[in-house]
Amino acid sequence: MNRVNCLIVDDEPLASNVLEKYITKLDHLRLVGKAENAVEAFNLLNTHNIDLMFLDIKMPQITGIDFLKSLPNPPMVIFTTAYRDFALDGFEMSALDYLLKPISFERFLKAVSKIPNPPVHKQAPTEISTSDRAYIFVREDKRMKKVFLDDILFIESIKDYVKIITKEGSILTYLKMSYLEDQLPNRLFLRVHKSFIINIHSIQTYSASEIEIDGVIIPIGRHYKQAVHRVLNALML
């Protein structure tokens, strides 16, 4: 049996959980991942072989339709939404189907019955052949931009946005600092302040209260001092 690898992209936990329950009932479907926004979805699409995406239309940061338009090699899509007005836009994007919330299991079955047999498999994602450098994708304006982790110097929180300072410049993106902190490897990145995450290897100088990176002085937050000093002391010869 050709199993279909599925990705759920929906910022509503209730709707996402309903789709997960439906997918797990069918032997020919396999849930590979769940994302709450386009950034998470983009990273999953680039690290997993996704055949079918259940894509919500009304999402924060970027709509499902704009997100789909930004993908150079998208998987099959079934749109999900609570708004009937988007149906025409959904079908114009060559979606398999358009599910209106709340989604019944019967309607779900009708939608997934439109999957070709065998399914149209998306080419498995590949890393750059000349490098094993780790990276993430973040949204800049209406595009998703690849950012290599070893290029990042530090990250600064600015209200609802974060500014990613790299060796080549800066990127302003709508993201939560806590999300980035969870995504970045702690062997390379360290939260030193409620507003700053730094690349440990980019440290030029440091003291008990501040760190210097690329000529910028970054404060060490009172609540982070103990953990930061433990890491910094481990770097000492």
Side-chain angles (χ1 to χ4, degrees), residues 158-225:
I158 305 174
K159 293 186 177 180
D160 295 330
Y161 292 80
V162 296
K163 182 186 287 187
I164 302 174
I165 309 300
T166 73
K167 296 173 183 177
E168 297 180 352
S170 64
I171 302 165
L172 187 65
T173 185
Y174 184 80
L175 271 180
K176 291 183 179 179
M177 197 72 155
S178 57
Y179 169 76
L180 270 181
E181 184 179 13
D182 289 339
Q183 295 296 309
L184 296 171
N186 55 22
R187 60 178 173 76
L188 186 61
F189 292 91
L190 178 65
R191 184 86 174 258
V192 300
H193 188 277
K194 67 179 182 179
S195 299
F196 289 95
I197 295 174
I198 67 164
N199 183 330
I200 297 170
H201 297 313
S202 296
I203 296 173
Q204 293 175 314
T205 65
Y206 68 87
S207 66
S209 60
E210 60 188 28
I211 292 169
E212 181 184 2
I213 295 178
D214 198 35
V216 178
I217 302 301
I218 297 170
I220 299 174
R222 180 166 56 91
H223 297 295
Y224 297 87
K225 276 190 176 182

Side-chain angles (χ1 to χ4, degrees), residues 42-43 46 126-129 131 133-140 143-149 151-152 164 166 168 171:
F42 203 102
N43 289 327
N46 281 275
T126 57
E127 297 289 335
I128 299 174
S129 59
S131 175
R133 298 169 67 194
Y135 59 85
I136 58 173
F137 279 91
V138 297
R139 178 176 176 245
E140 186 179 36
R143 294 179 176 271
M144 306 301 293
K145 183 169 184 176
K146 177 187 285 186
V147 182
F148 288 104
L149 299 190
D151 277 344
I152 298 174
I164 302 174
T166 73
E168 297 180 352
I171 302 165

